[in-house]
C-alpha cells in the first residue's frame, strides 16, 4: 500500500485492524524466546549431536538460535552437552555465572542429567547438583530432533507458558515410584485421578457415538 | 623381545652387576618380564639403557597397578623399547603398602615410595605423575609431583582397588524394594 491509497475513515479503520495490544513483558519474552544465543560449549560425545543440530539438516536457525557465541558474556543459553567431570564442574559453573541474566540451561543427554553410565568417582552425578537446569533432554546421545524438542520446550517456558510435566498432563500425580513404595499400588489420589481420566474419555466416546 | 634364554642371560648379567636386583623372570603372553626389587629400579633401568647390546633407550610406558589382595600389593611397570631391533622388555617393580593392615580408606597414611626414573627417561615425568594421582605411589626425585588428572584438592587414590567406586546407587524395578529410601 502506498501513501495516499487510503484517506480519512478508511485509513483510521485500516490502522485499527493492524494494531495488536500486548504487555511489554509479553513482547519482550516473545522476542527473547525467538533469539536465544547458545554458548559454544561442548563437553563430550553429545556435543557432536549439538553441532549437527546447528547444521543444515536439523537447522536450529528455524527457531532463531543458530548464532552460537564463543563468549559467555554474549550467550544466554548453556547446553550442557556431555558428562561433567568433577574437575570440569567449577569451570562450567564459572561459565554459567559469567553469562548475563536472563539465562537458561539445557542439560543434554544422560550424563549431564544424571551421570549416565559413569557412576564413578570422577563424574558429577547430574549437573543440577551445582547449577540450575531448565530442561533435561534424555538419551545417549539424544538425537538432534530431541534436543530441538527440548529447545522448543524452553522457548515455551521463556514466553511464560511452561509445559507441565507429563504427570500433570496425563493426570498421573501419585504414580511416582516413591509414592507407591509403601503399598506397591498407586495411591488413592492417583486412582481417583485415573478414574477421572477414564470417565472423561468414555464421555468423549459416547458423544462421538451419538 | 628377547627370547626366554636371552632374558635369563639379561637377568643373570644384571644380578652380577647389582646383587639381588632381578627377582624373577617371566616370558608369557608375548612379553618378556623382569620382576625386580623396587629399591633397585634405577640401576636396572640404567643397565638396560646403557649396556652395549641392550640399549633399550625408549621408555614407551610407565604405569601402575594394584594387585590387592596380593602381597606386595602395588607394582610399577616400565615398558622399554629398543627401536633399532624393535624389541620390547617389560620391567616390573613390586611395592608393598606401608599402611597395610590399617583402616586407611582414603590413603592418608604413609605412601609407597619408589625412586623416580625421570633422570633416565624424561618422558616418564607425566606418567609418573599419573601413577601418583591414581595409585598414590610417590616418586622420589620427581621434579614436579602433583596430581595430573584429578583436581589438585582431591582426596584419595581412585584407582586403588579398595577405593570406594563413587557415583550413586542405581535403582532398577527389581531392586526398588531392597533399595527403599533411595530417594531421600
Ligand atoms: S549421554 Fe551418551 S553421548 Fe552424551 S556425553 Fe554421555 S555418553 Fe556421551
Amino acid at each position: 500500500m502506498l501513501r495516499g491509497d487510503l484517506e480519512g475513515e478508511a485509513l483510521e479503520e485500516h490502522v485499527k485492524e493492524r494494531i495488536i495490544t500486548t504487555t511489554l513483558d509479553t513482547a519482550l519474552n516473545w522476542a527473547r524466546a525467538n533469539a536465544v544465543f547458545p554458548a559454544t560449549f561442548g563437553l563430550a560425545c553429545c556435543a557432536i549431536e549439538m553441532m549437527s543440530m546447528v547444521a543444515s539438516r536439523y537447522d536450529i536457525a528455524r527457531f532463531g538460535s543458530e548464532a552460537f557465541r564463543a563468549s559467555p558474556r554474549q550467550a544466554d543459553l548453556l547446553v550442557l552437552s556431555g558428562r561433567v567431570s568433577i574437575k570440569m564442574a567449577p569451570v562450567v559453573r564459572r561459565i554459567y555465572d559469567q553469562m548475563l541474566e536472563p539465562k537458561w540451561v539445557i542439560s543434554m543427554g544422560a550424563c549431564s542429567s544424571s551421570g549416565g553410565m559413569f557412576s564413578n568417582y570422577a563424574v558429577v552425578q547430574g549437573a543440577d547438583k551445582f547449577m540450575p537446569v531448565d530442561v533435561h533432554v534424555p538419551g545417549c546421545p539424544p538425537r538432534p530432533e530431541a534436543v530441538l524438542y527440548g529447545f522448543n520446550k524452553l522457548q515455551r517456558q521463556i514466553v511464560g507458558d511452561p509445559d507441565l510435566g507429563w504427570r500433570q498432563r496425563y493426570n498421573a500425580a501419585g504414580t511416582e515410584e516413591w509414592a507407591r513404595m509403601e503399598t506397591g499400588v498407586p495411591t488413592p489420589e492417583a486412582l481417583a485421578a485415573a478414574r477421572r481420566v477414564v470417565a472423561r474419555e468414555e464421555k468423549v466416546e459416547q458423544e462421538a457415538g451419538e | 623381545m628377547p627370547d626366554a634364554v636371552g632374558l635369563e642371560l639379561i637377568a643373570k648379567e644384571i644380578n652380577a652387576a647389582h646383587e639381588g636386583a632381578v627377582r624373577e623372570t617371566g616370558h608369557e603372553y608375548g612379553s618378556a618380564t623382569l620382576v625386580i626389587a623396587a629399591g633397585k629400579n634405577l640401576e636396572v633401568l640404567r643397565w638396560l639403557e646403557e649396556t652395549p647390546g641392550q640399549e633399550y633407550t625408549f621408555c614407551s610406558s610407565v604405569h601402575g597397578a594394584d594387585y590387592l589382595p596380593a602381597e606386595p600389593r602395588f607394582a610399577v611397570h616400565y615398558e622399554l623399547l629398543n627401536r633399532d631391533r624393535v624389541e620390547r622388555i617389560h620391567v616390573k617393580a613390586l611395592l608393598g603398602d606401608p599402611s597395610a593392615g590399617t583402616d586407611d580408606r582414603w590413603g592418608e597414611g604413609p605412601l609407597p615410595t619408589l625412586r623416580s626414573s625421570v633422570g633416565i627417561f624424561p618422558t616418564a615425568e607425566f606418567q609418573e605423575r599419573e601413577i601418583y594421582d591414581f595409585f598414590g605411589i610417590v616418586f622420589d626425585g620427581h621434579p614436579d609431583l602433583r596430581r595430573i588428572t584429578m583436581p589438585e584438592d582431591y582426596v584419595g587414590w581412585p584407582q586403588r582397588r579398595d577405593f570406594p567406586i563413587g557415583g550413586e546407587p542405581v535403582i532398577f524395578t527389581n531392586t526398588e524394594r531392597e533399595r527403599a529410601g533411595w530417594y531421600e
Side-chain angles (χ1 to χ4, degrees):
Chain A
M1 192 178 75
L2 297 174
R3 180 187 291 245
D5 278 3
L6 291 176
E7 295 287 347
E9 279 289 302
L11 183 60
E12 292 282 315
E13 200 50 41
H14 183 80
V15 169
K16 261 189 215 150
E17 274 171 16
R18 270 152 190 79
I19 286 179
I20 304 169
T21 43
T22 179
T23 60
L24 181 63
D25 272 353
T26 315
L28 207 58
N29 285 339
W30 176 78
R32 267 180 192 148
N34 288 295
V36 176
F37 281 59
T40 312
F41 181 69
L43 282 168
C45 13
C46 271
I48 302 293
E49 301 296 300
M50 184 181 73
M51 290 171 219
S52 67
M53 188 174 82
V54 193
S56 52
R57 186 169 183 120
Y58 299 100
D59 197 11
I60 199 173
R62 293 178 290 158
F63 307 109
S65 138
E66 76 281 14
F68 276 60
R69 292 284 128 172
S71 160
R73 302 278 185 214
Q74 300 173 352
D76 49 12
L77 169 65
L78 188 63
V79 183
L80 288 170
S81 49
R83 60 198 91 90
V84 188
S85 68
I86 58 168
K87 200 171 181 181
M88 196 62 185
V91 181
V92 175
R93 178 70 214 205
R94 173 176 287 199
I95 290 175
Y96 178 76
D97 288 341
Q98 283 175 343
M99 286 162 52
L100 302 183
E101 299 278 357
K103 52 192 171 185
W104 298 278
V105 177
I106 293 179
S107 152
M108 174 182 176
C111 288
S112 59
S113 302
S114 70
M117 67 181 112
F118 303 100
S119 185
N120 64 20
Y121 61 89
V123 172
V124 181
Q125 302 296 304
D128 42 13
K129 287 223 167 31
F130 64 91
M131 65 195 286
V133 173
D134 294 284
V135 176
H136 296 265
V137 182
C140 177
R143 286 190 60 95
E145 294 99 320
V147 189
L148 282 177
Y149 182 68
F151 180 74
N152 288 345
K153 290 241 162 193
L154 181 71
Q155 285 184 313
R156 268 177 245 166
Q157 185 176 324
I158 296 172
V159 295
D161 176 22
D163 272 70
L164 298 169
W166 70 269
R167 280 187 214 279
Q168 277 82 17
R169 279 188 278 123
Y170 290 87
N171 232 342
T175 59
E176 299 90 346
E177 266 167 292
W178 52 265
R180 42 193 180 82
M181 214 70 190
E182 296 280 303
T183 55
V185 295
T187 54
E189 298 84 50
L191 288 175
R195 268 187 223 109
R196 278 201 300 280
V197 175
V198 172
R200 204 168 60 209
E201 276 170 4
E202 278 173 355
K203 203 169 141 222
V204 171
E205 273 171 24
Q206 270 176 13
E207 281 168 5
E210 277 164 11
Chain B
M1 67 179 180
D3 56 16
V5 181
L7 187 69
E8 292 305 325
L9 289 176
I10 290 176
K12 206 172 137 220
E13 282 185 39
I14 295 179
N15 271 341
H18 307 284
E19 183 66 32
V22 177
R23 294 235 179 106
E24 249 178 80
T25 56
H27 201 273
E28 57 274 308
Y29 304 117
S31 102
T33 308
L34 295 171
V35 183
I36 62 167
K40 297 256 169 116
N41 64 331
L42 289 196
E43 286 82 355
V44 174
L45 292 176
R46 182 156 281 135
W47 189 93
L48 286 169
E49 195 213 2
E50 289 176 351
T51 308
Q54 303 300 337
E55 286 155 339
Y56 293 92
T57 49
F58 181 71
C59 172
S60 56
S61 169
V62 185
H63 46 265
D66 182 0
Y67 294 109
L68 190 78
E71 192 55 49
R73 176 177 165 186
F74 297 108
V76 173
H77 297 253
Y78 300 86
E79 196 78 50
L80 307 184
L81 172 66
N82 178 307
R83 293 208 274 193
D84 296 331
R85 307 194 302 270
V86 196
E87 267 188 11
R88 292 174 190 278
I89 195 163
H90 183 169
V91 179
K92 170 175 170 183
L94 288 171
L95 281 166
D97 183 4
S99 48
T102 59
D103 183 22
D104 183 19
R105 204 171 176 212
W106 299 103
E108 282 164 332
L111 297 172
T113 310
L114 195 66
R115 280 179 299 160
S116 164
S117 63
V118 174
I120 307 173
F121 302 112
T123 48
E125 182 182 339
F126 275 18
Q127 309 194 43
E128 287 184 352
R129 269 177 74 184
E130 192 178 350
I131 299 172
Y132 167 72
D133 192 355
F134 284 132
F135 293 95
I137 295 173
V138 174
F139 289 91
D140 256 353
H142 189 285
D144 180 25
L145 197 65
R146 286 179 291 133
R147 283 188 184 272
I148 189 168
T149 313
M150 303 305 289
E152 292 204 1
D153 53 0
Y154 195 81
V155 177
W157 315 106
Q159 294 283 357
R160 286 191 181 187
R161 283 184 144 180
D162 54 358
F163 189 80
I165 192 152
E168 284 174 4
V170 182
I171 181 119
F172 297 102
T173 13
N174 61 334
T175 52
E176 66 186 325
R177 299 208 165 267
E178 298 94 84
R179 292 246 172 98
W182 56 274
Y183 49 84
E184 278 160 8

